[in-house]
Amino acid sequence: MFADSSGRCCFLIFNVLSLIILQEGLHTVEGVWPLPQSLISSPEQYRLNPQAFYFRYGRQSAAQPGCSVLDSAFKRYFSLVFPDFTSGYGDLGNSAGKPFNVEISVDQDDCEGYPNENSSERYNLTVSSGNASLNAETVWGALRGLETFSQLVYQDDFGSYFVNKTEVEDFPRFQFRAILLDTSRHYLPVRTILKTLDAMAYSKFNVFHWHIVDDPSFPYQSRTFPDLSSKGAFHPMTHIYTQSDVRRVISHGRLRGIRILPEFDSPGHTKSWGNGQPGLLTPCYSGSKPSGTFGPVNPALPSTYEFMAGLFKEVSSVFPDSYIHLGGDEVNFSCWKSNPDVRAFMLKMGFGADFTKLEAYYMENIVNITSSLNKTSIVWQDVFDYHEKIPKDTVLHIWKGLPAQYYKELSRITKAGMRVLLAAPWYINHISYGQDWRTYYTVQPLNFNGTEEQKKLVIGGEVCMWGEYVDATNLTPRLWPRASAAAERLWSDEKQTSNVNMAFPRLQDFRCKLLRRGIQAEPLFVGHCKHEYQGI
Ligand SMILES: *[C@@H]1O[C@H](CO)[C@@H](O)[C@H](O)[C@H]1NC(C)=O
């Protein structure tokens, strides 16, 4: 029967496809990405008039007018809620008409602080006739609630704004939801970083992992060691991040509830450091003579640790977050092996010919430096692989391999009682033809062998955008909306978001929202947005 006619076969396939599309159509497209833990909406619809719309502080709220985080969020979200309306929030006179108030109350006055690893992002949002109320423990939770509210508002064909009666109770599944940008392989202008922070807030990401320096360039302008950037950046004036640039990034992140986590990766990935800090890198030997090339940081010299103590003292005062990323990945031993002074140091220390012991010794010293500065260290998984005895509060960052490999690693590290952060499945600098967001969406971070206690040690996940082939020209479309797939995985309930086909129309809709907000997010597949990107 299968062979009776080709026309019949294709007609059948066509029918199956249209059935799938029909089934998707039956599910309502909820207008919020990432999906809240609980969202109940009704067909009761309220029209919003931008000239009679106000964000107000609840009478019982611990934060009141003057709260920098919320005052500035009200301005931003007014424009996001009413994208066609040209006056800014607060520029309006009192207009006639019944006002719609969004009343915000928080339990803590953390308006001038920074979000941290323990900050609650929980919020409840109730939209009903004539008003909405948003309650959160912290201002950071209130920010997440404002984002959700902004995504609930929609326009009809005539441009009028509406919101439906809705109840939302929401909190993140994982505390740590990060994006890594690499500003060493290509320099990213500050405005590109700020724009990324804007887009991160739309997907409720809360950590910007700033892989600020690496082999190719050292753009961080240090107060203590200015030569690092004047000799190690691609250009000493135009391709650097000054102290005021860094402060802008930190402040822009803070106002969006985003932590800024700097990474100063060593002892490998440090070629550019050597230009401005002679004596820091290991001279490689060819036979009995220095070859003129340099390898990783020289772990055998006391001057190395004095320099690192100075650098991290500065870094820990510039970046307010309590975490610092110390790298520790991909150390090539061949240069250390070639150097007679390093080999002599190995003998003196009783390391024999085991260079992993030397590397462990180095990392332990660096971790001790940051601990003495009251910072928690994050290191790439390599450090655990050769040194299981690093301080227990260090977070291991898993970046290697396919699921079978990273599940094994998750299992092994959490069994040792250490916290982990998963990046391996979200290396989105890798691109391919088709809908690879589906792969990022269907990751199951906790699907490894381990007890409930072990699973609690997974603090979250990270999307990595390494910079070999990425600069300001293509960063945004390569990041969005692909990173948003991971954002939902890290924020939302796993069971409610287990169907990738149901996610598809919602993500398409969210991508159109990103375009509307000026984020040049690439398309997922064939289709159109009501408001196409205007190319500006
Ligand atoms: C909002 O209300 C309108 C009008 O009743 C209805 O068509 C639409 O499905 C509702 N949306 C949601 C998400 O409930």
Side-chain angles (χ1 to χ4, degrees):
M1 286 307 284
F2 289 109
D4 74 342
S5 84
S6 58
R8 178 165 186 149
C9 109
C10 294
F11 177 72
L12 278 174
I13 288 172
F14 178 76
N15 258 358
V16 171
L17 278 177
S18 56
L19 192 70
I20 292 168
I21 291 163
L22 199 72
Q23 277 182 341
E24 281 179 354
L26 290 177
H27 297 282
T28 45
V29 175
E30 299 295 356
V32 182
W33 189 282
L35 190 70
Q37 301 287 339
S38 159
L39 183 152
I40 303 163
S41 63
S42 91
E44 198 172 315
Q45 200 184 32
Y46 314 117
R47 191 172 165 159
L48 300 178
N49 172 6
Q51 285 175 297
F53 178 93
Y54 305 94
F55 292 112
R56 301 211 187 271
Y57 289 90
R59 214 160 297 157
Q60 304 297 322
S61 172
Q64 289 295 330
C67 174
S68 58
V69 171
L70 293 180
D71 282 357
S72 61
F74 296 165
K75 290 208 176 87
R76 285 198 312 279
Y77 278 105
F78 181 79
S79 306
L80 295 171
V81 168
F82 303 111
D84 284 337
F85 193 72
T86 44
S87 309
Y89 185 58
D91 302 344
L92 324 162
N94 274 342
S95 88
K98 199 168 168 294
F100 188 99
N101 292 319
V102 180
E103 193 175 284
I104 289 95
S105 297
V106 296
D107 300 339
Q108 295 165 26
D109 175 4
D110 37 9
C111 295
E112 305 311 317
Y114 292 89
N116 63 49
E117 80 269 28
N118 299 317
S119 299
S120 161
E121 291 170 288
R122 180 182 285 275
Y123 66 90
N124 290 338
L125 172 66
T126 305
V127 181
S128 47
S129 173
N131 64 68
S133 71
L134 169 58
N135 295 296
E137 289 165 18
T138 66
V139 295
W140 322 115
L143 292 176
R144 304 298 170 243
L146 287 168
E147 177 57 43
T148 295
F149 179 81
S150 75
Q151 294 188 24
L152 288 171
V153 176
Y154 56 95
Q155 283 177 282
D156 69 6
D157 288 340
F158 307 99
S160 298
Y161 298 96
F162 294 92
V163 66
N164 287 25
K165 186 176 170 67
T166 311
E167 284 277 348
V168 181
E169 282 178 34
D170 203 9
F171 55 88
R173 180 181 175 205
F174 292 102
Q175 179 58 40
F176 194 109
R177 306 176 310 280
I179 288 201
L180 173 149
L181 295 184
D182 168 4
T183 56
S184 173
R185 292 180 175 89
H186 284 95
Y187 178 79
L188 295 172
V190 173
R191 66 171 184 284
T192 305
I193 296 175
L194 302 184
K195 185 126 190 167
T196 302
L197 292 169
D198 292 348
M200 283 173 68
Y202 305 154
S203 286
K204 298 190 170 80
F205 279 105
N206 67 350
V207 181
F208 168 43
H209 175 177
W210 194 351
H211 188 86
I212 190 166
V213 297
D214 203 299
D215 284 326
S217 75
F218 196 107
Y220 172 76
Q221 188 178 49
S222 163
R223 291 190 296 240
T224 326
F225 305 102
D227 281 353
L228 288 171
S229 63
S230 68
K231 297 187 175 151
F234 287 133
H235 187 283
M237 305 297 283
T238 56
H239 287 51
I240 58 167
Y241 302 107
T242 63
Q243 291 291 316
S244 100
D245 291 337
V246 171
R247 278 197 299 274
R248 266 178 82 196
V249 170
I250 293 169
S251 150
H252 202 85
R254 183 185 91 83
L255 293 175
R256 286 155 186 77
I258 298 172
R259 299 160 55 190
I260 311 297
L261 167 70
E263 178 180 355
F264 285 80
D265 189 356
S266 75
H269 291 278
T270 46
K271 209 153 255 138
S272 66
W273 304 38
N275 304 335
Q277 190 61 25
L280 178 66
L281 303 184
T282 310
C284 312
Y285 275 63
S286 149
S288 60
K289 280 199 264 11
S291 67
T293 62
F294 293 89
V297 165
N298 191 337
L301 300 177
S303 57
T304 290
Y305 302 102
E306 283 157 27
F307 163 78
M308 289 293 179
L311 180 67
F312 281 112
K313 185 170 178 219
E314 171 180 328
V315 167
S316 66
S317 74
V318 169
F319 292 88
D321 203 75
S322 63
Y323 284 58
I324 293 188
H325 204 303
L326 300 176
D329 59 317
E330 298 184 306
V331 183
N332 182 341
F333 295 148
S334 59
C335 182
W336 282 350
K337 278 182 189 163
S338 76
N339 183 303
D341 299 332
V342 171
R343 287 202 308 267
F345 180 75
M346 297 268 293
L347 286 182
K348 191 181 113 198
M349 298 299 289
F351 296 158
D354 184 353
F355 283 84
T356 63
K357 289 206 172 112
L358 179 60
E359 187 175 7
Y361 166 84
Y362 173 83
M363 284 314 290
E364 208 170 291
N365 274 288
I366 302 301
V367 169
N368 287 344
I369 289 171
T370 49
S371 306
S372 73
L373 295 162
N374 286 324
K375 298 281 181 173
T376 303
S377 304
I378 306 190
V379 293
W380 297 104
Q381 71 181 83
D382 314 41
V383 178
F384 183 83
D385 295 347
Y386 57 71
H387 186 43
E388 303 197 356
K389 285 196 283 298
I390 43 167
K392 271 272 187 282
D393 71 333
T394 311
V395 177
L396 276 307
H397 197 163
I398 298 182
W399 65 277
K400 287 182 190 175
L402 297 167
Q405 290 166 284
Y406 67 70
Y407 282 146
K408 218 167 117 192
E409 192 78 356
L410 281 165
S411 194
R412 216 162 68 85
I413 299 177
T414 55
K415 198 163 186 172
M418 306 201 55
R419 290 176 301 162
V420 289
L421 175 61
L422 183 63
W426 292 301
Y427 265 40
I428 73 168
N429 50 298
H430 291 257
I431 51 171
S432 60
Y433 190 74
Q435 298 193 35
D436 60 357
W437 70 272
R438 289 170 180 266
T439 327
Y440 307 133
Y441 192 77
T442 48
V443 172
Q444 296 177 300
L446 301 186
N447 211 17
F448 61 93
N449 279 331
T451 61
E452 281 310 301
E453 285 308 303
Q454 277 176 261
K455 306 213 166 169
K456 284 191 196 130
L457 294 169
V458 180
I459 63 169
E462 179 171 290
V463 170
C464 295
M465 183 60 88
W466 295 101
E468 285 87 351
Y469 304 99
V470 176
D471 69 6
T473 63
N474 59 354
L475 172 71
T476 302
R478 201 165 278 201
L479 251 186
W480 311 107
R482 294 162 77 231
S484 306
E488 181 150 293
R489 182 53 52 236
L490 294 169
W491 178 282
S492 307
D493 177 71
E494 186 174 29
K495 286 206 186 72
Q496 291 179 49
T497 55
S498 58
N499 186 329
V500 68
N501 291 322
M502 275 169 68
F504 177 72
R506 293 176 45 246
L507 187 54
Q508 271 199 320
D509 180 60
F510 179 64
R511 182 253 169 181
C512 292
K513 284 197 177 106
L514 292 177
L515 289 195
R516 194 84 205 278
R517 295 176 175 195
I519 305 297
Q520 208 168 345
E522 68 177 20
L524 293 177
F525 192 51
V526 178
H528 82 288
C529 291
K530 196 165 165 187
H531 301 272
E532 294 295 345
Y533 186 69
Q534 295 299 312
I536 35 162

